[in-house]
Amino acid sequence: MTSHPPHTPDRHTPERPVADAHAVAVLDLVTADPAGSAKAYQQLLGHGAADTDIHVGNARIRLHDKASDDPHRVLFTSSDTDAQVRLLQRRGLDLHHRHADEWHAPDVPVGVITHAPAALPARADDIAGLDHLVFESTDRDHAVALFGSTLGLDFRLDRQVSPGLRQLFFRAGDLVVEVVLADGAPATEPISLWGIAWRSHDVTATHRRLTDLGVGISEVRVGRKPGTAIATVYDPLLATRTVVIGPLDG
């Protein structure tokens, strides 16, 4: 197992002051090693302390033991959860009350949670928050119905990337939701969270910081989206595929 020493800020990574966070989404990630994953996210995000409940920019991550039956799940925040739940149920989404302020859909990896502002811990300044989430699906119509018609996300783009591979893009506030559809995949496969892209003000600075910490990361390369740079982070303790993306000239 990779050792994760505590992050020590240096001249390349000034720390953000404490502020109020407005999470657009809460990511529930399952992992076989919650403590190890907390340390991995501490390094990735530049937090001063490891925690299994992490607030950063427009997102909150909660790490759960893999012994639970739940898959990775994304809960979209709402200032009026009761009204949002009633609306989604009228639109046909089966939601089960899990806790005082959150509801889960048993058949798809999404849900609703009450928005609760939280104090951001001091952290490295290069990671701003979530850029986009990537889901995997085998059914375009189902994906469009779930994220567009039911959840009410803004459906922005449908494009063929290459023969047999299609991408759908939705927007929720400043968060992009991407759905990847591959021809030939079993039609019975459920929608699942495939990966996370973190937004960096300066991908080169993030690459340098993570390399100095001994975190496995690819070379910075030009992103598929024009004007962006991207690097892949290689750490299984992050519990899902992870990239860092930012401006090409950052």
Side-chain angles (χ1 to χ4, degrees):
M1 183 181 297
T2 303
S3 174
H4 295 275
H7 168 61
T8 301
D10 59 25
R11 61 186 177 88
H12 301 303
T13 57
E15 291 201 338
R16 285 186 181 275
V18 173
D20 281 341
H22 184 179
V24 175
V26 176
L27 280 61
D28 281 344
L29 301 180
V30 294
T31 170
D33 183 0
S37 292
K39 291 180 181 177
Y41 275 100
Q42 175 193 10
Q43 287 193 310
L44 174 67
L45 302 174
H47 281 196
D51 198 343
T52 56
D53 191 346
I54 306 153
H55 295 261
V56 53
N58 59 354
R60 177 182 173 193
I61 292 179
R62 302 187 300 190
L63 301 169
H64 300 277
D65 193 288
K66 204 168 187 176
S68 67
D69 294 332
D70 266 356
H72 296 328
R73 182 178 300 277
V74 177
L75 307 176
F76 293 95
T77 63
S78 173
S79 58
D80 188 344
T81 309
D82 290 341
Q84 182 71 357
V85 167
R86 288 195 298 270
L87 174 63
L88 296 180
Q89 288 176 331
R90 286 199 301 271
R91 291 175 176 174
L93 185 63
D94 184 19
L95 287 169
H96 292 187
H97 195 195
R98 289 296 297 267
H99 303 291
D101 64 345
E102 64 184 81
W103 297 69
H104 293 189
D107 299 324
V108 287
V110 298
V112 180
I113 189 169
T114 300
H115 162 60
L120 283 173
R123 60 183 176 85
D125 199 42
D126 51 309
I127 300 291
L130 279 180
D131 186 83
H132 62 277
L133 300 171
V134 183
F135 287 85
E136 197 172 35
S137 177
T138 58
D139 187 331
R140 179 193 178 280
D141 291 343
H142 183 206
V144 171
L146 174 63
F147 292 105
S149 301
T150 302
L151 291 174
L153 276 59
D154 185 10
F155 188 15
R156 305 297 290 270
L157 183 64
D158 177 352
R159 72 178 182 188
Q160 191 82 31
V161 181
S162 61
L165 185 65
R166 188 173 212 89
Q167 289 174 308
L168 311 176
F169 292 92
F170 304 83
R171 182 174 285 278
D174 65 347
L175 174 65
V176 172
V177 173
E178 174 186 348
V179 182
V180 176
L181 302 122
D183 291 344
T188 55
E189 286 295 312
I191 291 177
S192 60
L193 180 66
W194 188 87
I196 300 174
W198 292 97
R199 186 184 310 130
S200 171
H201 298 294
D202 186 335
V203 177
T204 299
T206 301
H207 184 279
R208 181 172 56 245
R209 177 172 63 81
L210 295 180
T211 299
D212 289 346
L213 290 170
V215 177
I217 186 169
S218 73
E219 292 301 315
V220 177
R221 60 192 184 276
V222 176
R224 188 186 296 272
K225 180 180 177 181
T228 62
I230 190 170
T232 303
V233 183
Y234 302 113
D235 190 341
L237 285 171
L238 294 174
T240 189
R241 298 166 184 85
T242 302
V243 300
V244 176
I245 187 170
L248 186 59
D249 56 354

